[in-house]
Amino acid sequence: MGEVLVVTSGKGGVGKTTTTANIGTALAMMGYRVVLLDADIGLRNLDVVMGLENRIVYDLVDVTNGRCRLKQALIRDRRFESLLLLPAAQTKDKTAVNPEQMKALCDELKQESDYVLVDCPAGIEQGFKNAVAGADKALVVTTPEVSAVRDADRIIGLLQADTEMHHPLLIINRFRPQMVRRGDMLDVDDVNEHLAIELLGIVPEDESVIVSTNRGEPAVLNVNSRAGEAYRNISRRLMGEEVPFMDIESNGTFMGRIRRLLGMRTG
Amino acid sequence: MQRILGKEANRASKNIAAERLRLVLMHDRLDLTPQMMDSLRSDILKVIADYLEIDESGMEIALQRSNNSIALVANIPVVKMKRLPASAG
Ligand SMILES: Nc1ncnc2c1ncn2[C@@H]1O[C@H](COP(=O)(O)OP(=O)(O)OP(=O)(O)O)[C@@H](O)[C@H]1O
Ligand SMILES: [Mg+2]
């Protein structure tokens, strides 16, 4: 039986959908059976990022309303046999699904997969509650900006208060080492210190993410993409592997600390 | 004043962001629920009642945010001082 991971953030546009698509694809590349579940009802995006938008027949709400069977709504990825997508509905009614239905759906999906990745909508309302309802583990995405970190803090507080997910994992996205060196961006330590949850990975700001999204091919498929590499590393860490952090951090002190944490020798 | 403003403009924006983040999180996390505020209020009253006679209806307590700190500010009108026995208890 598999595990359900929800990718959430509070603030919009920080990279939840990008993260879901990339980690899901990376896990499928590693041979795992993965289902991507787009829980952003009304603002369906994951299909486009995955390049699967033309194959949609049924969606999440069709399944929960019993208009089709779950198997009929799952779209198989063109590249990986073991990668499936359940698209969100484009209905305006965000209450079309409730947390109980989402929990039941996740429970069913994980019967026949290793990982179910839920792409959570922005905000802390119904859509968030739906997305976390069936999840076993949460990945919180933020960018190194005051507003995004603040919202991540809110989300972590809600996860800890209202769910069993007391130890969410942190992903810092759109990190720009040059700006950090210039002193114009919060560094990893600043973010870590406040959020105080385990850091799963740091994804650099990278044009290849936009190029990949244009093509409908997640960046992890591109061996030359820095962001793709970061997402591949994140996926391996999720599998329990100890992967050193990429050298995109601002200052040696942080790297040194990470290396020491991981029990590695510097250099 | 000019000097402070000038300094602020030259400071790396990262430091400004870090400080603002610290404050904003402190404020968010300190946001006590109305129930907690009420029980804080009645506990304060209980403690004070041994020493002073106060006007409960005029009592105001609130968390106040200033530039670089957060304070619990209480405004409690005193009606009468109690005459404490020379050796209490
Ligand atoms: N590391 C990155 N480098 C460059 N661009 C990025 C990166 N991560 C995300 N983006 C871009 O940022 C935009 C928002 O990303 P994405 O859609 O994944 O965010 P989201 O959190 O899912 O947004 P929403 O809250 O609207 O669902 C997209 O255009 C995406 O291509
Ligand atoms: Mg999204």
Side-chain angles (χ1 to χ4, degrees), chain A residues 5 13 37 46-47 61-62 92 95 106 113 117 131 156 161 166 189 193 228 234 254:
Chain A
L5 310 178
L37 199 172
L46 192 51
D47 54 336
V61 175
D62 292 326
K92 287 194 206 85
T95 57
C106 288
S113 57
L117 270 85
I156 294 165
H166 296 175
D189 277 351
E193 176 196 328
I234 285 173
F254 174 74

Side-chain angles (χ1 to χ4, degrees), chain A residues 81-106:
Chain A
E81 180 77 359
S82 68
L83 182 57
L84 298 167
L85 169 72
L86 181 56
Q90 281 294 56
T91 52
K92 287 194 206 85
D93 180 14
K94 295 211 171 194
T95 57
V97 182
N98 64 43
E100 291 71 40
Q101 290 172 314
M102 283 296 284
K103 169 127 188 25
L105 180 62
C106 288

Side-chain angles (χ1 to χ4, degrees), chain A residues 150 153 183-185 187 190 194, chain B residues 12-14 17-18 25 28-29:
Chain A
R150 177 196 205 173
D153 188 68
D184 275 329
M185 181 173 267
D187 63 29
D190 292 323
H194 289 293
Chain B
S13 71
K14 168 223 137 104
L25 290 184
D28 285 358
R29 289 174 185 169

Side-chain angles (χ1 to χ4, degrees), chain A residues 44-167:
Chain A
R44 175 159 86 201
N45 270 160
L46 192 51
D47 54 336
V48 174
V49 175
M50 292 298 296
L52 299 172
E53 69 274 17
N54 292 328
R55 313 253 298 272
I56 297 177
V57 183
Y58 295 110
D59 58 43
L60 172 63
V61 175
D62 292 326
V63 174
T64 51
N65 285 356
R67 278 194 290 271
C68 72
R69 282 177 294 111
L70 178 54
K71 289 241 159 62
Q72 292 176 289
L74 290 170
I75 300 165
R76 195 170 295 280
D77 184 75
R78 291 180 268 111
R79 295 143 296 209
F80 300 99
E81 180 77 359
S82 68
L83 182 57
L84 298 167
L85 169 72
L86 181 56
Q90 281 294 56
T91 52
K92 287 194 206 85
D93 180 14
K94 295 211 171 194
T95 57
V97 182
N98 64 43
E100 291 71 40
Q101 290 172 314
M102 283 296 284
K103 169 127 188 25
L105 180 62
C106 288
D107 287 348
E108 191 175 346
L109 285 171
K110 69 181 177 183
Q111 296 300 326
E112 284 177 43
S113 57
D114 299 307
Y115 292 96
V116 178
L117 270 85
V118 184
D119 183 13
C120 180
I124 54 175
E125 306 301 323
Q126 173 92 11
F128 167 76
K129 289 178 187 141
N130 280 339
V132 302
D136 303 306
K137 201 186 256 181
L139 311 185
V140 175
V141 183
T142 188
T143 59
E145 290 165 284
V146 176
S147 55
V149 176
R150 177 196 205 173
D151 290 358
D153 188 68
R154 274 284 274 155
I155 287 292
I156 294 165
L158 288 174
L159 290 170
Q160 292 177 340
D162 300 342
T163 76
E164 300 294 309
M165 296 181 279
H166 296 175
H167 301 286

Side-chain angles (χ1 to χ4, degrees), chain B residues 23-63:
Chain B
L23 281 170
V24 102
L25 290 184
M26 185 157 75
H27 200 256
D28 285 358
R29 289 174 185 169
L30 245 172
D31 210 7
L32 298 178
T33 62
Q35 291 93 314
M36 285 166 81
M37 236 21 198
D38 281 349
S39 78
L40 174 62
R41 187 192 162 93
S42 70
D43 282 352
I44 291 176
L45 276 176
K46 251 184 269 162
V47 173
I48 294 178
D50 287 344
Y51 303 87
L52 308 165
E53 195 171 303
I54 63 169
D55 172 14
E56 275 189 45
S57 61
M59 173 174 177
E60 276 171 28
I61 60 168
L63 289 168

Side-chain angles (χ1 to χ4, degrees), chain A residues 9 11-19 40 45 119-122 173-174 203-207 209-210 213 227 231:
Chain A
S9 69
K11 186 169 157 57
V14 298
K16 295 175 291 297
T17 302
T18 304
T19 297
D40 200 345
N45 270 160
D119 183 13
C120 180
N173 188 25
R174 309 197 79 152
V203 182
E205 170 80 27
D206 185 350
E207 286 182 8
V209 170
I210 295 161
T213 308
Y231 280 121

Side-chain angles (χ1 to χ4, degrees), chain A residues 163-182:
Chain A
T163 76
E164 300 294 309
M165 296 181 279
H166 296 175
H167 301 286
L169 301 169
L170 181 67
I171 294 173
I172 302 177
N173 188 25
R174 309 197 79 152
F175 191 80
R176 298 169 73 159
Q178 271 157 9
M179 288 194 72
V180 172
R181 272 194 290 273
R182 232 194 290 146

